[in-house]
């Protein structure tokens, strides 16, 4: 049901429209001119206005100035492209010509009301987020997170390049989205690229595009992801994995605002704001010759460092409850809560996979729980789970923390349990063991895992 105002000077048409809309359960008010509508009605109380273009006194488009926030459909028997364009320029939501088809009119009305509903829902959701969480739904009140929020607020309105640092699972993409949404580019695109997920042989073509015939399989020209971000924000996640050749091309984008598609000699101008993220120590990569020093200085203009979850002790209860509420709504489960023992376990556990691991564990618990109370065993926590927040050395890299966690737990955990607690697959655990030189100790249970 919606509240609709019809402004039409011909009584027959006005009554016909009224009957048509009332059959759809809408509440209808009438006026025969803009002047009488303004005089007799509270225009802000309507969900939709349908006004004839030619009326006694002021034209129907005059209502647009009197009720700028109410969607308005203009109708006229003087159908022409010119009058339609002029009405739309003045702010009309849509336009319909008389004599109109009833079904066509109803479709136009329903489309207008749907857009209005979506607009209100989006405004309400945004208001809730802005009220509850200072930055795009990121939960946190500890000092480290308040510093993150402060930096986001300060740098978002600028065009400054931002480098987001933090372990895997700490929410680096959420920070990038907050920077985009609070910038003057928020109406433009935000293109997200995981540099680690694209093979080295394809990454230049993916980022910068290619011309037809540039390489085997290039059957046509293709726009790259950098070009797709023109006028908006380009988020390069795991930028430390970018090959040196692609780094050189990216440097030119930052220095000259230009790209050159693979196989093309003609540069193209682009206007993008770069946000980069990594869990790796870029200064070490520079020293090892794996990352360009000039690119490092270009992207490290403003740094935002996200703390690991083990350093956000006072945030854990609120964050866990927020994630539980979100998961159970998404899964359409009844209201649920953590037991006191579970909340204590959440506080004590080190969460090497950070927020992503906590979120995955909570979602799994919501699915598996037969009760409205989530217990430690359902969440997958045990009394001897390690590491403790206060036993982890501050400033550890992700690799060092991984090494410490595996060595501390592999004597009493199977590979499956280790992988689950780390928030990764067994294959990823094996690959990381190989890369870091951490031998796997044989266990009787593991031989039975299959």
């Amino acid at each position: 049901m919606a509240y609709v105002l019809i402004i039409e000077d011909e009584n027959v048409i006005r009554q016909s429209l009224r009957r048509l809309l009332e059959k759809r359960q809408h509440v209808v008010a009438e006026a025969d001119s803009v002047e009488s509508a303004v005089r007799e009605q509270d225009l802000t109380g309507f969900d939709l206005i349908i006004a004839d273009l030619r009326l006694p006194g002021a034209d129907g488009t005059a209502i647009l100035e009197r009720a700028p926030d109410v969607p308005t459909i203009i109708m006229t028997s003087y159908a022409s492209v010119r009058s339609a364009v002029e009405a739309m320029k003045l702010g009309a939501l849509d336009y319909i010509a008389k004599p109109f088809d009833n079904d066509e009119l109803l479709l136009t009305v329903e489309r207008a009301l749907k857009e209005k509903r979506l607009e209100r829902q989006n405004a309400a959701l945004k208001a809730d987020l802005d009220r509850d969480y200072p930055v795009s739904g990121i939960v946190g009140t500890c000092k480290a997170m308040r510093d993150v929020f402060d930096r986001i607020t300060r740098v978002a309105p600028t065009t400054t390049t931002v480098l987001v640092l933090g372990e895997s699972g700490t929410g680096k993409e959420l920070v990038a989205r907050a920077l985009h949404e609070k910038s003057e580019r928020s109406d433009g695109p935000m293109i997200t690229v995981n540099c680690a997920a694209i093979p080295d042989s394809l990454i230049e073509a993916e980022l910068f595009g290619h011309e037809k015939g540039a390489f085997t399989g290039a059957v046509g020209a293709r726009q790259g992801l950098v070009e797709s971000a023109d006028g908006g924000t380009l988020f390069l996640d795991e930028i430390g994995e970018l090959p040196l050749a692609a780094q050189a091309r990216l440097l030119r984008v930052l220095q000259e605002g230009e790209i050159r598609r693979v196989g093309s000699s003609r540069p193209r101008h682009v206007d993008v704001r770069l946000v980069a993220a990594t869990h790796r120590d870029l200064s070490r990569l520079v020293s090892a010759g794996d990352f360009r020093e000039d690119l490092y200085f270009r992207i490290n203009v403003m740094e935002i460092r996200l703390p690991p979850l083990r350093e956000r002790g006072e945030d854990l209860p609120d964050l866990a409850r927020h994630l539980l509420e979100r998961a159970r709504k998404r899964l359409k489960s009844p209201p649920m809560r953590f037991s006191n023992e579970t909340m204590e376990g959440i506080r004590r556990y080190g969460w090497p996979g950070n927020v992503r691991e906590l979120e995955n564990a909570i979602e799994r618990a919501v699915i598996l729980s037969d009760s409205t109370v989530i217990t430690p065993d359902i969440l997958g926590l045990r009394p001897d789970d390690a590491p403790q927040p206060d036993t982890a050395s501050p400033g550890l890299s992700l690799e060092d923390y991984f090494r410490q966690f595996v060595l501390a737990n592999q004597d009493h955990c199977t590979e499956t349990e280790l992988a689950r607690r780390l928030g990764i697959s067994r294959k990823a655990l094996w690959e990381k063991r190989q890369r870091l030189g951490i031998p796997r100790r044989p266990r009787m249970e593991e031989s039975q895992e299959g």
Side-chain angles (χ1 to χ4, degrees):
M1 183 187 74
Y3 293 92
V4 182
L5 172 63
I6 301 171
I7 309 177
E8 167 62 63
D9 60 323
E10 294 188 35
N11 186 59
V12 173
I13 297 176
R14 198 167 63 243
Q15 293 303 315
S16 175
L17 275 173
R18 182 184 192 117
R19 288 193 296 270
L20 185 64
L21 294 174
E22 286 180 341
K23 284 182 180 178
R24 292 298 181 100
Q25 309 304 313
H26 298 309
V27 178
V28 180
E30 303 175 21
D32 58 8
S33 67
V34 171
E35 289 81 0
S36 63
V38 171
R39 184 175 60 251
E40 298 169 8
Q41 304 289 345
D42 175 13
L43 299 180
T44 61
F46 290 100
D47 298 303
L48 179 68
I49 296 174
I50 303 174
D52 192 13
L53 180 61
R54 306 296 182 188
L55 292 168
D59 284 347
T61 52
I63 200 69
L64 298 169
E65 295 181 5
R66 302 301 187 97
D69 296 327
V70 182
T72 300
I73 297 171
I74 298 294
M75 56 182 181
T76 179
S77 56
Y78 300 91
S80 71
V81 172
R82 182 176 178 181
S83 57
V85 170
E86 288 176 354
M88 301 292 275
K89 281 183 177 179
L90 290 171
L93 181 66
D94 215 330
Y95 178 95
I96 191 164
K98 296 189 293 187
F100 47 79
D101 177 80
N102 285 355
D103 291 337
E104 180 186 356
L105 177 69
L106 289 173
L107 282 173
T108 304
V109 167
E110 291 307 317
R111 184 166 61 244
L113 292 173
K114 184 178 180 180
E115 287 187 21
K116 183 66 175 177
R117 284 193 297 270
L118 289 173
E119 184 181 312
R120 287 176 174 173
Q121 288 170 4
N122 289 339
L125 287 171
K126 187 176 186 303
D128 286 344
L129 287 175
D130 289 343
R131 182 185 67 248
D132 294 339
Y133 311 115
V135 177
S136 292
I138 305 175
V139 180
T141 57
C142 69
K143 183 182 183 307
M145 290 305 296
R146 290 199 304 271
D147 291 343
V148 168
F149 298 148
D150 180 64
R151 289 214 169 192
I152 291 173
T153 302
R154 289 173 182 269
V155 76
T158 73
T159 59
T160 299
T161 299
V162 180
L163 179 61
V164 186
L165 301 175
E167 296 177 5
S168 295
T170 49
K172 297 187 287 296
E173 185 172 347
L174 285 177
V175 171
R177 291 198 175 278
L179 290 167
H180 175 71
E181 290 167 7
K182 290 180 172 290
S183 74
E184 294 181 355
R185 297 168 175 262
S186 57
D187 290 335
M190 177 177 169
I191 303 297
T192 298
V193 184
N194 186 340
C195 299
I198 305 174
D200 289 0
S201 58
L202 297 178
I203 197 161
E204 288 188 64
E206 286 290 320
L207 285 176
F208 306 105
H210 60 76
E211 297 294 342
K212 181 179 180 180
F215 50 85
T216 303
V219 294
R222 181 180 176 184
Q223 185 183 66
L225 295 171
V226 175
E227 201 172 342
S228 298
D230 189 27
T233 302
L234 175 67
F235 174 49
L236 294 183
D237 197 9
E238 299 302 346
I239 194 172
E241 310 301 325
L242 203 61
L244 288 170
Q247 291 178 31
R249 284 179 176 267
L250 179 61
L251 183 63
R252 184 165 185 82
V253 174
L254 298 177
Q255 289 177 332
E256 309 295 338
E258 288 182 352
I259 65 161
R260 186 177 283 114
R261 290 181 178 178
V262 176
S264 173
S265 59
R266 182 170 65 88
R268 297 168 182 264
H269 178 76
V270 291
D271 174 25
V272 299
R273 195 261 185 95
L274 177 67
V275 178
T278 183
H279 72 275
R280 304 186 68 181
D281 186 336
L282 291 184
S283 60
R284 287 187 183 180
L285 294 181
V286 169
S287 299
D290 294 326
F291 201 86
R292 293 179 63 109
E293 185 177 38
D294 46 4
L295 178 59
Y296 174 62
F297 289 127
R298 277 280 177 178
I299 65 174
N300 195 22
V301 181
M302 172 64 75
E303 182 181 292
I304 297 178
R305 187 176 295 274
L306 281 169
L309 197 53
R310 62 184 176 275
E311 295 176 9
R312 295 176 54 188
E314 59 193 273
D315 284 346
L316 274 169
D318 286 343
L319 178 58
R321 293 187 190 101
H322 168 74
L323 294 175
L324 174 60
E325 185 66 11
R326 191 167 71 179
R328 71 104 187 153
K329 283 182 178 179
R330 184 172 64 252
L331 297 170
K332 298 180 180 179
S333 299
M336 306 180 82
R337 65 178 179 86
F338 298 109
S339 69
N340 293 336
E341 295 79 8
T342 305
M343 188 59 76
E344 181 59 28
I346 289 173
R347 288 191 180 98
R348 292 180 65 250
Y349 182 53
W351 301 108
N354 293 295
V355 180
R356 186 182 299 122
E357 183 189 1
L358 175 61
E359 184 175 24
N360 291 344
I362 288 173
E363 181 171 340
R364 185 168 56 245
V366 170
I367 294 171
L368 296 177
S369 182
D370 294 323
S371 167
T372 58
V373 179
I374 294 181
T375 56
D377 59 315
I378 290 293
L379 196 63
L381 296 174
R382 302 186 315 184
D384 59 348
D385 273 339
Q388 305 292 333
D390 56 355
T391 61
S393 303
L396 280 179
S397 69
L398 184 62
E399 285 81 4
D400 290 339
Y401 192 78
F402 175 89
R403 185 189 304 276
Q404 176 178 308
F405 178 84
V406 170
L407 293 176
N409 289 274
Q410 64 180 357
D411 286 339
H412 59 268
C413 287
T414 66
E415 290 294 285
T416 298
E417 290 171 330
L418 277 176
R420 178 174 59 78
R421 283 169 169 74
L422 286 165
I424 59 178
S425 66
R426 283 189 57 171
K427 181 175 183 292
L429 174 61
W430 179 83
E431 290 174 345
K432 205 154 192 175
R433 276 184 179 276
Q434 295 294 108
R435 183 163 62 82
L436 298 178
I438 308 173
R440 176 178 171 182
R441 297 180 185 175
R443 289 169 48 84
M444 186 64 68
E445 305 96 290
E446 290 171 10
S447 65
Q448 299 170 359
E449 284 185 295

